[in-house]
PDB file of all heavy atoms in Angstrom:
ATOM      1  N   ARG Q  49      19.555 -15.140  22.198  1.00 92.00           N
ATOM      2  CA  ARG Q  49      20.342 -15.765  23.256  1.00 92.00           C
ATOM      3  C   ARG Q  49      21.547 -16.245  22.693  1.00 92.00           C
ATOM      4  O   ARG Q  49      22.642 -16.180  23.378  1.00 92.00           O
ATOM      5  CB  ARG Q  49      19.351 -16.908  23.848  1.00 92.00           C
ATOM      6  CG  ARG Q  49      18.157 -16.527  24.576  1.00 92.00           C
ATOM      7  CD  ARG Q  49      17.710 -17.676  25.489  1.00 92.00           C
ATOM      8  NE  ARG Q  49      17.616 -18.856  24.891  1.00 92.00           N
ATOM      9  CZ  ARG Q  49      16.465 -19.334  24.197  1.00 92.00           C
ATOM     10  NH1 ARG Q  49      15.447 -18.587  24.098  1.00 92.00           N
ATOM     11  NH2 ARG Q  49      16.490 -20.595  23.749  1.00 92.00           N
ATOM     12  N   ARG Q  50      21.543 -16.884  21.504  1.00 90.00           N
ATOM     13  CA  ARG Q  50      22.726 -17.548  21.008  1.00 90.00           C
ATOM     14  C   ARG Q  50      23.792 -16.501  20.566  1.00 90.00           C
ATOM     15  O   ARG Q  50      25.030 -16.770  20.887  1.00 90.00           O
ATOM     16  CB  ARG Q  50      22.336 -18.221  19.718  1.00 90.00           C
ATOM     17  CG  ARG Q  50      23.548 -18.959  19.125  1.00 90.00           C
ATOM     18  CD  ARG Q  50      23.040 -19.761  17.821  1.00 90.00           C
ATOM     19  NE  ARG Q  50      24.267 -20.551  17.230  1.00 90.00           N
ATOM     20  CZ  ARG Q  50      24.162 -21.226  16.069  1.00 90.00           C
ATOM     21  NH1 ARG Q  50      22.905 -21.268  15.413  1.00 90.00           N
ATOM     22  NH2 ARG Q  50      25.130 -21.792  15.588  1.00 90.00           N
ATOM     23  N   HIS Q  51      23.423 -15.328  20.149  1.00 89.00           N
ATOM     24  CA  HIS Q  51      24.356 -14.390  19.559  1.00 89.00           C
ATOM     25  C   HIS Q  51      24.593 -13.125  20.454  1.00 89.00           C
ATOM     26  O   HIS Q  51      25.398 -12.268  20.195  1.00 89.00           O
ATOM     27  CB  HIS Q  51      24.033 -13.907  18.231  1.00 89.00           C
ATOM     28  CG  HIS Q  51      23.891 -14.976  17.222  1.00 89.00           C
ATOM     29  ND1 HIS Q  51      25.029 -15.726  16.782  1.00 89.00           N
ATOM     30  CD2 HIS Q  51      22.922 -15.644  16.687  1.00 89.00           C
ATOM     31  CE1 HIS Q  51      24.660 -16.586  15.865  1.00 89.00           C
ATOM     32  NE2 HIS Q  51      23.397 -16.666  15.878  1.00 89.00           N
ATOM     33  N   GLY Q  52      23.779 -13.021  21.664  1.00 91.00           N
ATOM     34  CA  GLY Q  52      24.070 -11.962  22.562  1.00 91.00           C
ATOM     35  C   GLY Q  52      23.591 -10.686  22.012  1.00 91.00           C
ATOM     36  O   GLY Q  52      24.131  -9.538  22.323  1.00 91.00           O
ATOM     37  N   VAL Q  53      22.458 -10.637  21.301  1.00 94.00           N
ATOM     38  CA  VAL Q  53      21.899  -9.406  20.561  1.00 94.00           C
ATOM     39  C   VAL Q  53      20.525  -9.229  21.069  1.00 94.00           C
ATOM     40  O   VAL Q  53      19.944 -10.116  21.764  1.00 94.00           O
ATOM     41  CB  VAL Q  53      22.051  -9.457  19.134  1.00 94.00           C
ATOM     42  CG1 VAL Q  53      23.444  -9.477  18.651  1.00 94.00           C
ATOM     43  CG2 VAL Q  53      21.267 -10.614  18.598  1.00 94.00           C
ATOM     44  N   ASP Q  54      19.903  -8.164  20.761  1.00 94.00           N
ATOM     45  CA  ASP Q  54      18.574  -7.716  21.140  1.00 94.00           C
ATOM     46  C   ASP Q  54      17.641  -7.379  19.812  1.00 94.00           C
ATOM     47  O   ASP Q  54      17.785  -6.185  19.439  1.00 94.00           O
ATOM     48  CB  ASP Q  54      18.600  -6.554  22.149  1.00 94.00           C
ATOM     49  CG  ASP Q  54      17.137  -5.995  22.339  1.00 94.00           C
ATOM     50  OD1 ASP Q  54      16.199  -6.814  22.315  1.00 94.00           O
ATOM     51  OD2 ASP Q  54      17.122  -4.831  22.561  1.00 94.00           O
ATOM     52  N   THR Q  55      16.930  -8.302  19.364  1.00 94.00           N
ATOM     53  CA  THR Q  55      16.210  -8.040  18.137  1.00 94.00           C
ATOM     54  C   THR Q  55      14.802  -8.497  18.363  1.00 94.00           C
ATOM     55  O   THR Q  55      13.794  -8.166  17.468  1.00 94.00           O
ATOM     56  CB  THR Q  55      16.754  -8.940  16.952  1.00 94.00           C
ATOM     57  OG1 THR Q  55      16.631 -10.276  17.212  1.00 94.00           O
ATOM     58  CG2 THR Q  55      18.189  -8.552  16.697  1.00 94.00           C
ATOM     59  N   ASP Q  56      14.382  -9.182  19.422  1.00 89.00           N
ATOM     60  CA  ASP Q  56      13.003  -9.595  19.449  1.00 89.00           C
ATOM     61  C   ASP Q  56      12.113  -8.595  20.065  1.00 89.00           C
ATOM     62  O   ASP Q  56      12.378  -7.419  20.273  1.00 89.00           O
ATOM     63  CB  ASP Q  56      12.922 -10.958  20.217  1.00 89.00           C
ATOM     64  CG  ASP Q  56      13.173 -10.680  21.709  1.00 89.00           C
ATOM     65  OD1 ASP Q  56      13.554  -9.662  22.119  1.00 89.00           O
ATOM     66  OD2 ASP Q  56      13.234 -11.718  22.576  1.00 89.00           O
ATOM     67  N   GLY Q  57      10.817  -8.948  20.252  1.00 86.00           N
ATOM     68  CA  GLY Q  57       9.852  -8.147  20.826  1.00 86.00           C
ATOM     69  C   GLY Q  57       8.842  -7.492  19.766  1.00 86.00           C
ATOM     70  O   GLY Q  57       9.126  -7.609  18.608  1.00 86.00           O
ATOM     71  N   LEU Q  58       7.857  -6.986  20.238  1.00 80.00           N
ATOM     72  CA  LEU Q  58       6.786  -6.324  19.373  1.00 80.00           C
ATOM     73  C   LEU Q  58       6.592  -4.864  19.969  1.00 80.00           C
ATOM     74  O   LEU Q  58       6.394  -4.685  21.058  1.00 80.00           O
ATOM     75  CB  LEU Q  58       5.354  -7.098  19.643  1.00 80.00           C
ATOM     76  CG  LEU Q  58       4.189  -6.402  19.016  1.00 80.00           C
ATOM     77  CD1 LEU Q  58       4.260  -6.326  17.548  1.00 80.00           C
ATOM     78  CD2 LEU Q  58       2.870  -7.042  19.459  1.00 80.00           C
ATOM     79  N   ILE Q  59       6.801  -3.950  18.863  1.00 69.00           N
ATOM     80  CA  ILE Q  59       6.541  -2.554  19.262  1.00 69.00           C
ATOM     81  C   ILE Q  59       5.529  -1.996  18.268  1.00 69.00           C
ATOM     82  O   ILE Q  59       5.726  -2.009  16.960  1.00 69.00           O
ATOM     83  CB  ILE Q  59       8.019  -1.794  19.017  1.00 69.00           C
ATOM     84  CG1 ILE Q  59       9.004  -2.450  19.852  1.00 69.00           C
ATOM     85  CG2 ILE Q  59       7.754  -0.279  19.530  1.00 69.00           C
ATOM     86  CD1 ILE Q  59      10.432  -1.760  19.788  1.00 69.00           C
ATOM     87  N   TYR Q  60       4.433  -1.616  18.810  1.00 62.00           N
ATOM     88  CA  TYR Q  60       3.443  -0.961  17.936  1.00 62.00           C
ATOM     89  C   TYR Q  60       3.776   0.391  17.484  1.00 62.00           C
ATOM     90  O   TYR Q  60       4.763   1.039  18.053  1.00 62.00           O
ATOM     91  CB  TYR Q  60       2.110  -0.841  18.700  1.00 62.00           C
ATOM     92  CG  TYR Q  60       1.555  -2.228  19.094  1.00 62.00           C
ATOM     93  CD1 TYR Q  60       0.836  -2.384  20.304  1.00 62.00           C
ATOM     94  CD2 TYR Q  60       1.647  -3.336  18.222  1.00 62.00           C
ATOM     95  CE1 TYR Q  60       0.216  -3.580  20.611  1.00 62.00           C
ATOM     96  CE2 TYR Q  60       1.196  -4.493  18.592  1.00 62.00           C
ATOM     97  CZ  TYR Q  60       0.412  -4.683  19.798  1.00 62.00           C
ATOM     98  OH  TYR Q  60      -0.114  -5.933  20.215  1.00 62.00           O
ATOM     99  N   ALA Q  61       3.131   0.850  16.429  1.00 62.00           N
ATOM    100  CA  ALA Q  61       3.521   2.162  15.753  1.00 62.00           C
ATOM    101  C   ALA Q  61       3.622   3.286  16.663  1.00 62.00           C
ATOM    102  O   ALA Q  61       4.448   4.243  16.634  1.00 62.00           O
ATOM    103  CB  ALA Q  61       2.668   2.432  14.596  1.00 62.00           C
ATOM    104  N   ASP Q  62       2.637   3.293  17.656  1.00 66.00           N
ATOM    105  CA  ASP Q  62       2.579   4.520  18.557  1.00 66.00           C
ATOM    106  C   ASP Q  62       3.698   4.565  19.538  1.00 66.00           C
ATOM    107  O   ASP Q  62       3.887   5.544  20.123  1.00 66.00           O
ATOM    108  CB  ASP Q  62       1.248   4.545  19.216  1.00 66.00           C
ATOM    109  CG  ASP Q  62       0.879   3.369  20.077  1.00 66.00           C
ATOM    110  OD1 ASP Q  62       1.767   2.408  20.028  1.00 66.00           O
ATOM    111  OD2 ASP Q  62      -0.168   3.287  20.708  1.00 66.00           O
ATOM    112  N   GLY Q  63       4.433   3.516  19.570  1.00 59.00           N
ATOM    113  CA  GLY Q  63       5.621   3.569  20.431  1.00 59.00           C
ATOM    114  C   GLY Q  63       6.953   3.900  19.673  1.00 59.00           C
ATOM    115  O   GLY Q  63       8.013   3.811  20.224  1.00 59.00           O
ATOM    116  N   LEU Q  64       6.784   4.239  18.402  1.00 61.00           N
ATOM    117  CA  LEU Q  64       7.904   4.632  17.466  1.00 61.00           C
ATOM    118  C   LEU Q  64       7.838   5.987  17.032  1.00 61.00           C
ATOM    119  O   LEU Q  64       8.621   6.232  15.964  1.00 61.00           O
ATOM    120  CB  LEU Q  64       7.926   3.492  16.347  1.00 61.00           C
ATOM    121  CG  LEU Q  64       8.295   2.080  16.730  1.00 61.00           C
ATOM    122  CD1 LEU Q  64       8.177   1.200  15.496  1.00 61.00           C
ATOM    123  CD2 LEU Q  64       9.678   1.945  17.419  1.00 61.00           C
ATOM    124  N   ALA Q  65       7.293   6.776  17.661  1.00 66.00           N
ATOM    125  CA  ALA Q  65       7.116   8.175  17.170  1.00 66.00           C
ATOM    126  C   ALA Q  65       8.524   8.911  17.227  1.00 66.00           C
ATOM    127  O   ALA Q  65       9.199   8.686  18.266  1.00 66.00           O
ATOM    128  CB  ALA Q  65       6.216   9.020  18.024  1.00 66.00           C
ATOM    129  N   SER Q  66       8.894   9.413  16.159  1.00 68.00           N
ATOM    130  CA  SER Q  66      10.374  10.089  16.067  1.00 68.00           C
ATOM    131  C   SER Q  66      10.243  11.569  15.797  1.00 68.00           C
ATOM    132  O   SER Q  66      11.247  12.235  15.714  1.00 68.00           O
ATOM    133  CB  SER Q  66      11.129   9.416  14.966  1.00 68.00           C
ATOM    134  OG  SER Q  66      10.614   9.639  13.762  1.00 68.00           O
ATOM    135  N   GLY Q  67       8.985  12.046  15.448  1.00 62.00           N
ATOM    136  CA  GLY Q  67       8.845  13.464  15.138  1.00 62.00           C
ATOM    137  C   GLY Q  67       8.811  13.674  13.591  1.00 62.00           C
ATOM    138  O   GLY Q  67       8.607  14.792  13.231  1.00 62.00           O
ATOM    139  N   HIS Q  68       9.052  12.623  12.918  1.00 58.00           N
ATOM    140  CA  HIS Q  68       9.197  12.621  11.488  1.00 58.00           C
ATOM    141  C   HIS Q  68       7.720  12.675  10.947  1.00 58.00           C
ATOM    142  O   HIS Q  68       6.698  12.139  11.375  1.00 58.00           O
ATOM    143  CB  HIS Q  68       9.910  11.620  10.864  1.00 58.00           C
ATOM    144  CG  HIS Q  68      10.300  11.802   9.368  1.00 58.00           C
ATOM    145  ND1 HIS Q  68       9.349  11.613   8.331  1.00 58.00           N
ATOM    146  CD2 HIS Q  68      11.510  12.112   8.767  1.00 58.00           C
ATOM    147  CE1 HIS Q  68      10.001  11.737   7.168  1.00 58.00           C
ATOM    148  NE2 HIS Q  68      11.279  12.130   7.428  1.00 58.00           N
ATOM    149  N   ALA Q  69       7.605  13.408   9.748  1.00 56.00           N
ATOM    150  CA  ALA Q  69       6.154  13.467   9.056  1.00 56.00           C
ATOM    151  C   ALA Q  69       5.665  12.022   8.700  1.00 56.00           C
ATOM    152  O   ALA Q  69       4.422  11.862   8.696  1.00 56.00           O
ATOM    153  CB  ALA Q  69       6.240  14.422   7.898  1.00 56.00           C
ATOM    154  N   HIS Q  70       6.463  11.087   8.468  1.00 59.00           N
ATOM    155  CA  HIS Q  70       6.101   9.866   8.046  1.00 59.00           C
ATOM    156  C   HIS Q  70       5.856   8.756   9.149  1.00 59.00           C
ATOM    157  O   HIS Q  70       5.523   7.661   8.918  1.00 59.00           O
ATOM    158  CB  HIS Q  70       7.028   9.314   6.984  1.00 59.00           C
ATOM    159  CG  HIS Q  70       6.953   9.934   5.767  1.00 59.00           C
ATOM    160  ND1 HIS Q  70       8.028   9.864   4.809  1.00 59.00           N
ATOM    161  CD2 HIS Q  70       6.053  10.637   5.072  1.00 59.00           C
ATOM    162  CE1 HIS Q  70       7.754  10.495   3.754  1.00 59.00           C
ATOM    163  NE2 HIS Q  70       6.483  11.071   3.924  1.00 59.00           N
ATOM    164  N   ASP Q  71       5.879   9.311  10.477  1.00 56.00           N
ATOM    165  CA  ASP Q  71       5.565   8.342  11.522  1.00 56.00           C
ATOM    166  C   ASP Q  71       4.183   7.887  11.420  1.00 56.00           C
ATOM    167  O   ASP Q  71       3.942   6.710  11.908  1.00 56.00           O
ATOM    168  CB  ASP Q  71       5.687   9.233  12.907  1.00 56.00           C
ATOM    169  CG  ASP Q  71       7.129   9.455  13.421  1.00 56.00           C
ATOM    170  OD1 ASP Q  71       8.015   8.803  12.861  1.00 56.00           O
ATOM    171  OD2 ASP Q  71       7.315  10.428  14.339  1.00 56.00           O
ATOM    172  N   ALA Q  72       3.271   8.589  10.859  1.00 62.00           N
ATOM    173  CA  ALA Q  72       1.968   8.094  10.713  1.00 62.00           C
ATOM    174  C   ALA Q  72       1.818   6.883   9.887  1.00 62.00           C
ATOM    175  O   ALA Q  72       0.725   6.225   9.840  1.00 62.00           O
ATOM    176  CB  ALA Q  72       0.991   9.298  10.173  1.00 62.00           C
ATOM    177  N   HIS Q  73       2.731   6.676   9.001  1.00 56.00           N
ATOM    178  CA  HIS Q  73       2.717   5.510   8.082  1.00 56.00           C
ATOM    179  C   HIS Q  73       3.477   4.284   8.774  1.00 56.00           C
ATOM    180  O   HIS Q  73       3.576   3.288   8.014  1.00 56.00           O
ATOM    181  CB  HIS Q  73       3.334   5.935   6.814  1.00 56.00           C
ATOM    182  CG  HIS Q  73       2.668   7.077   6.129  1.00 56.00           C
ATOM    183  ND1 HIS Q  73       1.286   7.008   5.648  1.00 56.00           N
ATOM    184  CD2 HIS Q  73       3.115   8.290   5.890  1.00 56.00           C
ATOM    185  CE1 HIS Q  73       1.042   8.249   5.214  1.00 56.00           C
ATOM    186  NE2 HIS Q  73       2.098   9.037   5.261  1.00 56.00           N
ATOM    187  N   ASN Q  74       3.985   4.416   9.878  1.00 63.00           N
ATOM    188  CA  ASN Q  74       4.773   3.343  10.390  1.00 63.00           C
ATOM    189  C   ASN Q  74       3.791   2.189  10.759  1.00 63.00           C
ATOM    190  O   ASN Q  74       2.837   2.339  11.417  1.00 63.00           O
ATOM    191  CB  ASN Q  74       5.502   3.783  11.612  1.00 63.00           C
ATOM    192  CG  ASN Q  74       6.630   2.889  12.140  1.00 63.00           C
ATOM    193  OD1 ASN Q  74       6.508   1.713  12.163  1.00 63.00           O
ATOM    194  ND2 ASN Q  74       7.785   3.551  12.527  1.00 63.00           N
ATOM    195  N   ALA Q  75       4.393   0.965  10.449  1.00 61.00           N
ATOM    196  CA  ALA Q  75       3.525  -0.324  10.767  1.00 61.00           C
ATOM    197  C   ALA Q  75       3.985  -0.935  11.990  1.00 61.00           C
ATOM    198  O   ALA Q  75       3.495  -2.142  12.319  1.00 61.00           O
ATOM    199  CB  ALA Q  75       3.615  -1.171   9.467  1.00 61.00           C
ATOM    200  N   GLY Q  76       4.913  -0.348  12.757  1.00 69.00           N
ATOM    201  CA  GLY Q  76       5.381  -0.945  13.910  1.00 69.00           C
ATOM    202  C   GLY Q  76       6.561  -1.911  13.599  1.00 69.00           C
ATOM    203  O   GLY Q  76       7.067  -2.056  12.590  1.00 69.00           O
ATOM    204  N   TYR Q  77       7.037  -2.593  14.759  1.00 76.00           N
ATOM    205  CA  TYR Q  77       8.137  -3.322  14.636  1.00 76.00           C
ATOM    206  C   TYR Q  77       7.980  -4.816  15.080  1.00 76.00           C
ATOM    207  O   TYR Q  77       7.358  -5.072  16.186  1.00 76.00           O
ATOM    208  CB  TYR Q  77       9.335  -2.774  15.530  1.00 76.00           C
ATOM    209  CG  TYR Q  77      10.529  -3.775  15.547  1.00 76.00           C
ATOM    210  CD1 TYR Q  77      11.487  -3.851  14.512  1.00 76.00           C
ATOM    211  CD2 TYR Q  77      10.741  -4.620  16.734  1.00 76.00           C
ATOM    212  CE1 TYR Q  77      12.608  -4.821  14.665  1.00 76.00           C
ATOM    213  CE2 TYR Q  77      11.804  -5.478  16.790  1.00 76.00           C
ATOM    214  CZ  TYR Q  77      12.637  -5.587  15.790  1.00 76.00           C
ATOM    215  OH  TYR Q  77      13.771  -6.420  15.876  1.00 76.00           O
ATOM    216  N   TYR Q  78       8.330  -5.797  14.223  1.00 83.00           N
ATOM    217  CA  TYR Q  78       8.385  -7.212  14.624  1.00 83.00           C
ATOM    218  C   TYR Q  78       9.449  -7.748  13.728  1.00 83.00           C
ATOM    219  O   TYR Q  78       9.397  -7.674  12.567  1.00 83.00           O
ATOM    220  CB  TYR Q  78       7.029  -7.851  14.343  1.00 83.00           C
ATOM    221  CG  TYR Q  78       6.918  -9.261  15.113  1.00 83.00           C
ATOM    222  CD1 TYR Q  78       6.400  -9.308  16.368  1.00 83.00           C
ATOM    223  CD2 TYR Q  78       7.323 -10.358  14.406  1.00 83.00           C
ATOM    224  CE1 TYR Q  78       6.441 -10.571  17.026  1.00 83.00           C
ATOM    225  CE2 TYR Q  78       7.244 -11.632  15.048  1.00 83.00           C
ATOM    226  CZ  TYR Q  78       6.768 -11.704  16.314  1.00 83.00           C
ATOM    227  OH  TYR Q  78       6.778 -12.911  16.988  1.00 83.00           O
ATOM    228  N   ALA Q  79      10.399  -8.533  14.435  1.00 89.00           N
ATOM    229  CA  ALA Q  79      11.528  -8.988  13.655  1.00 89.00           C
ATOM    230  C   ALA Q  79      11.214 -10.155  12.810  1.00 89.00           C
ATOM    231  O   ALA Q  79      10.362 -11.040  13.094  1.00 89.00           O
ATOM    232  CB  ALA Q  79      12.698  -9.464  14.633  1.00 89.00           C
ATOM    233  N   THR Q  80      11.926 -10.326  11.725  1.00 91.00           N
ATOM    234  CA  THR Q  80      11.723 -11.345  10.741  1.00 91.00           C
ATOM    235  C   THR Q  80      12.428 -12.619  11.223  1.00 91.00           C
ATOM    236  O   THR Q  80      13.556 -12.621  11.796  1.00 91.00           O
ATOM    237  CB  THR Q  80      12.484 -10.962   9.350  1.00 91.00           C
ATOM    238  OG1 THR Q  80      11.973  -9.752   8.816  1.00 91.00           O
ATOM    239  CG2 THR Q  80      12.371 -11.992   8.316  1.00 91.00           C
ATOM    240  N   ALA Q  81      11.674 -13.740  11.167  1.00 94.00           N
ATOM    241  CA  ALA Q  81      12.300 -15.072  11.616  1.00 94.00           C
ATOM    242  C   ALA Q  81      13.455 -15.431  10.784  1.00 94.00           C
ATOM    243  O   ALA Q  81      13.387 -15.310   9.594  1.00 94.00           O
ATOM    244  CB  ALA Q  81      11.186 -16.073  11.535  1.00 94.00           C
TER     245      ALA Q  81
END
Side-chain angles (χ1 to χ4, degrees):
R49 293 201 310 271
R50 180 178 181 183
H51 300 290
V53 296
D54 170 32
T55 64
D56 68 356
L58 168 66
I59 307 176
Y60 295 147
D62 58 2
L64 292 173
S66 66
H68 194 280
H70 287 160
D71 283 345
H73 302 294
N74 196 317
Y77 171 79
Y78 193 87
T80 302

